[in-house]
Amino acid sequence: MHTRFMLATPPPYDDMADWSSNRLREWANSLDTSRAPREINWWLSARWTPQRRACDRALDAESRREWAEGFLTLVNCMQRFTTYDRWSASADQFNMRALLIGQLGEVDGNTTWSADALVRDLLAALTLTPREAREQSRTWRSLPTDQILTLRRHKTLLAPLETIVGLLSRSADKDSVRDWLTVRPALP
Protein backbone atom coordinates (compact mmCIF):
# COMPACT_ATOMS: atom_id res chain seq x y z
CA MET A 1 0.00 0.00 0.00
CA HIS A 2 1.25 3.44 -0.85
CA THR A 3 2.10 5.56 2.16
CA ARG A 4 0.50 8.61 0.59
CA PHE A 5 -2.90 7.00 1.27
CA MET A 6 -2.15 6.32 4.92
CA LEU A 7 -3.28 9.72 6.15
CA ALA A 8 -4.25 10.35 9.76
CA THR A 9 -6.87 12.80 8.58
CA PRO A 10 -8.56 12.99 5.21
CA PRO A 11 -7.21 15.41 2.67
CA PRO A 12 -9.35 18.45 1.96
CA TYR A 13 -11.54 17.56 -0.99
CA ASP A 14 -10.06 20.55 -2.89
CA ASP A 15 -6.69 18.78 -2.77
CA MET A 16 -8.27 15.68 -4.29
CA ALA A 17 -9.39 17.49 -7.46
CA ASP A 18 -6.11 16.61 -9.20
CA TRP A 19 -6.16 12.95 -8.20
CA SER A 20 -6.73 10.23 -10.77
CA SER A 21 -9.79 8.02 -10.48
CA ASN A 22 -7.53 5.12 -9.46
CA ARG A 23 -5.85 7.12 -6.70
CA LEU A 24 -9.23 8.24 -5.40
CA ARG A 25 -10.54 4.65 -5.28
CA GLU A 26 -7.34 3.32 -3.67
CA TRP A 27 -7.51 6.00 -0.99
CA ALA A 28 -11.22 5.41 -0.30
CA ASN A 29 -10.80 1.63 -0.20
CA SER A 30 -7.94 1.96 2.30
CA LEU A 31 -10.12 3.76 4.86
CA ASP A 32 -11.28 2.23 8.08
CA THR A 33 -13.46 3.63 10.84
CA SER A 34 -10.48 5.20 12.63
CA ARG A 35 -9.40 7.30 9.63
CA ALA A 36 -12.52 8.00 7.58
CA PRO A 37 -14.25 11.38 7.59
CA ARG A 38 -17.48 11.33 9.60
CA GLU A 39 -19.09 14.47 8.23
CA ILE A 40 -21.60 13.76 5.49
CA ASN A 41 -21.02 17.19 3.96
CA TRP A 42 -17.33 16.36 3.52
CA TRP A 43 -18.30 13.32 1.45
CA LEU A 44 -20.94 15.23 -0.53
CA SER A 45 -18.26 17.74 -1.52
CA ALA A 46 -15.59 15.10 -2.19
CA ARG A 47 -17.79 13.12 -4.54
CA TRP A 48 -18.47 16.14 -6.73
CA THR A 49 -15.26 15.71 -8.78
CA PRO A 50 -15.82 12.08 -9.78
CA GLN A 51 -19.51 12.74 -10.39
CA ARG A 52 -18.75 15.71 -12.66
CA ARG A 53 -16.13 13.77 -14.59
CA ALA A 54 -18.37 10.72 -14.98
CA CYS A 55 -20.95 12.97 -16.61
CA ASP A 56 -18.43 14.84 -18.80
CA ARG A 57 -19.29 13.91 -22.40
CA ALA A 58 -15.92 15.28 -23.54
CA LEU A 59 -14.21 12.31 -21.87
CA ASP A 60 -14.00 8.89 -23.48
CA ALA A 61 -16.31 6.11 -22.28
CA GLU A 62 -13.61 4.24 -20.34
CA SER A 63 -12.58 7.36 -18.41
CA ARG A 64 -16.17 8.20 -17.62
CA ARG A 65 -16.80 4.71 -16.26
CA GLU A 66 -13.62 4.88 -14.15
CA TRP A 67 -14.73 8.18 -12.63
CA ALA A 68 -18.19 6.74 -12.06
CA GLU A 69 -16.60 3.84 -10.18
CA GLY A 70 -14.82 6.42 -8.03
CA PHE A 71 -18.16 8.07 -7.38
CA LEU A 72 -19.73 4.73 -6.46
CA THR A 73 -16.84 4.02 -4.09
CA LEU A 74 -17.33 7.36 -2.34
CA VAL A 75 -21.07 6.73 -2.00
CA ASN A 76 -20.25 3.38 -0.36
CA CYS A 77 -17.94 5.22 2.03
CA MET A 78 -20.66 7.74 2.82
CA GLN A 79 -22.95 4.93 3.81
CA ARG A 80 -20.26 3.12 5.83
CA PHE A 81 -18.82 6.09 7.69
CA THR A 82 -21.68 8.59 8.06
CA THR A 83 -25.41 8.68 8.62
CA TYR A 84 -26.08 8.50 4.87
CA ASP A 85 -28.88 5.95 4.63
CA ARG A 86 -29.04 2.96 2.32
CA TRP A 87 -31.99 4.39 0.36
CA SER A 88 -30.09 7.54 -0.58
CA ALA A 89 -26.90 5.62 -1.33
CA SER A 90 -28.79 3.13 -3.49
CA ALA A 91 -30.57 5.91 -5.39
CA ASP A 92 -27.24 7.64 -6.07
CA GLN A 93 -25.63 4.42 -7.26
CA PHE A 94 -28.54 3.24 -9.41
CA ASN A 95 -28.92 6.65 -11.03
CA MET A 96 -25.23 6.85 -11.93
CA ARG A 97 -25.17 3.33 -13.30
CA ALA A 98 -28.35 3.87 -15.35
CA LEU A 99 -27.07 7.17 -16.71
CA LEU A 100 -23.84 5.68 -18.02
CA ILE A 101 -25.46 2.48 -19.26
CA GLY A 102 -27.94 4.62 -21.16
CA GLN A 103 -25.32 6.98 -22.57
CA LEU A 104 -22.37 4.64 -23.12
CA GLY A 105 -23.97 1.23 -23.44
CA GLU A 106 -23.32 -1.95 -21.54
CA VAL A 107 -19.95 -3.62 -20.93
CA ASP A 108 -19.90 -7.38 -21.49
CA GLY A 109 -18.99 -9.31 -18.36
CA ASN A 110 -19.21 -6.26 -16.06
CA THR A 111 -22.17 -6.30 -13.69
CA THR A 112 -21.78 -2.63 -12.79
CA TRP A 113 -22.42 -1.67 -16.42
CA SER A 114 -25.12 -4.23 -17.24
CA ALA A 115 -28.78 -3.19 -17.43
CA ASP A 116 -29.94 -6.64 -16.30
CA ALA A 117 -27.58 -6.62 -13.29
CA LEU A 118 -28.68 -3.10 -12.37
CA VAL A 119 -32.31 -4.20 -12.42
CA ARG A 120 -31.55 -7.24 -10.25
CA ASP A 121 -29.74 -5.01 -7.73
CA LEU A 122 -32.52 -2.45 -7.75
CA LEU A 123 -35.32 -4.97 -7.35
CA ALA A 124 -33.43 -6.62 -4.47
CA ALA A 125 -33.27 -3.25 -2.68
CA LEU A 126 -37.05 -2.80 -2.67
CA THR A 127 -39.03 -3.76 0.41
CA LEU A 128 -42.51 -3.83 -1.14
CA THR A 129 -44.04 -5.75 -4.01
CA PRO A 130 -45.72 -3.84 -6.82
CA ARG A 131 -49.08 -5.06 -5.52
CA GLU A 132 -48.37 -3.81 -1.97
CA ALA A 133 -47.17 -0.46 -3.28
CA ARG A 134 -50.24 -0.10 -5.52
CA GLU A 135 -52.60 -0.87 -2.63
CA GLN A 136 -50.85 1.52 -0.25
CA SER A 137 -50.72 4.29 -2.85
CA ARG A 138 -54.52 4.31 -3.09
CA THR A 139 -54.79 5.52 0.51
CA TRP A 140 -51.34 7.01 1.05
CA ARG A 141 -52.68 10.23 2.63
CA SER A 142 -54.10 8.24 5.54
CA LEU A 143 -51.00 6.11 6.09
CA PRO A 144 -48.52 6.64 8.95
CA THR A 145 -45.56 8.86 8.05
CA ASP A 146 -43.08 5.97 7.94
CA GLN A 147 -45.18 4.12 5.35
CA ILE A 148 -45.51 7.26 3.21
CA LEU A 149 -41.74 7.67 3.41
CA THR A 150 -41.27 4.06 2.29
CA LEU A 151 -43.52 4.68 -0.73
CA ARG A 152 -41.56 7.83 -1.61
CA ARG A 153 -38.27 5.98 -1.28
CA HIS A 154 -39.54 3.33 -3.66
CA LYS A 155 -40.60 5.98 -6.17
CA THR A 156 -37.15 7.58 -6.03
CA LEU A 157 -35.35 4.25 -6.32
CA LEU A 158 -37.45 3.22 -9.33
CA ALA A 159 -36.62 6.30 -11.42
CA PRO A 160 -33.57 4.80 -13.20
CA LEU A 161 -35.70 1.97 -14.58
CA GLU A 162 -37.36 4.34 -17.03
CA THR A 163 -34.05 5.02 -18.78
CA ILE A 164 -32.90 1.42 -19.16
CA VAL A 165 -36.07 -0.63 -19.62
CA GLY A 166 -35.43 -0.82 -23.37
CA LEU A 167 -32.02 -2.41 -22.78
CA LEU A 168 -33.26 -5.34 -20.71
CA SER A 169 -33.17 -8.88 -22.00
CA ARG A 170 -36.37 -10.86 -21.99
CA SER A 171 -36.72 -12.13 -18.46
CA ALA A 172 -38.98 -12.20 -15.44
CA ASP A 173 -37.14 -9.08 -14.27
CA LYS A 174 -38.39 -7.22 -17.35
CA ASP A 175 -41.97 -8.09 -16.35
CA SER A 176 -41.30 -6.85 -12.80
CA VAL A 177 -39.86 -3.63 -14.18
CA ARG A 178 -42.99 -3.07 -16.28
CA ASP A 179 -45.17 -3.73 -13.21
CA TRP A 180 -43.16 -1.24 -11.16
CA LEU A 181 -43.23 1.38 -13.91
CA THR A 182 -47.03 1.23 -14.00
CA VAL A 183 -47.19 1.63 -10.20
CA ARG A 184 -44.55 4.38 -9.90
CA PRO A 185 -46.69 7.35 -11.07
CA ALA A 186 -49.26 6.59 -8.34
CA LEU A 187 -46.68 6.66 -5.56
CA PRO A 188 -46.57 9.86 -3.48
Side-chain angles (χ1 to χ4, degrees):
M1 173 135 335
H2 302 315
T3 57
R4 67 178 180 241
F5 298 122
M6 302 300 288
L7 303 172
T9 59
Y13 59 87
D14 291 343
D15 292 347
M16 297 168 72
D18 293 327
W19 285 12
S20 69
S21 59
N22 285 336
R23 183 175 180 196
L24 178 72
R25 285 194 315 270
E26 285 177 24
W27 172 79
N29 288 328
S30 74
L31 293 175
D32 60 27
T33 54
S34 67
R35 293 181 296 121
R38 297 287 185 203
E39 294 297 319
I40 196 165
N41 287 334
W42 186 93
W43 288 101
L44 289 168
S45 297
R47 76 183 200 167
W48 176 246
T49 296
Q51 181 177 356
R52 183 177 47 81
R53 290 184 180 152
C55 295
D56 185 349
R57 291 177 183 248
L59 295 176
D60 63 84
E62 184 179 339
S63 295
R64 289 181 67 190
R65 286 187 189 102
E66 287 175 5
W67 282 109
E69 288 173 8
F71 171 83
L72 298 173
T73 299
L74 293 185
V75 171
N76 283 335
C77 287
M78 288 174 66
Q79 188 179 2
R80 280 180 55 206
F81 301 123
T82 74
T83 58
Y84 206 59
D85 65 88
R86 81 169 183 90
W87 290 97
S88 298
S90 293
D92 290 346
Q93 293 168 336
F94 297 149
N95 280 305
M96 177 60 77
R97 289 171 63 191
L99 175 75
L100 292 192
I101 291 168
Q103 289 181 359
L104 305 175
E106 298 180 274
V107 175
D108 289 338
N110 186 317
T111 57
T112 302
W113 308 118
S114 160
D116 289 333
L118 169 59
V119 165
R120 281 191 301 274
D121 294 345
L122 193 151
L123 293 175
L126 300 175
T127 60
L128 299 172
T129 66
R131 182 175 177 221
E132 291 168 332
R134 186 178 295 111
E135 288 173 9
Q136 290 181 23
S137 69
R138 290 185 183 123
T139 59
W140 73 265
R141 286 181 175 84
S142 63
L143 295 175
T145 304
D146 62 325
Q147 286 181 309
I148 296 170
L149 182 58
T150 297
L151 290 173
R152 288 186 178 171
R153 287 174 168 161
H154 278 67
K155 186 173 190 170
T156 299
L157 217 58
L158 293 166
L161 295 180
E162 294 175 0
T163 63
I164 62 164
V165 67
L167 300 173
L168 298 176
S169 63
R170 297 194 56 73
S171 68
D173 288 341
K174 192 169 188 175
D175 293 338
S176 293
V177 167
R178 287 192 177 122
D179 288 346
W180 274 113
L181 290 177
T182 61
V183 172
R184 187 175 183 269
L187 299 176

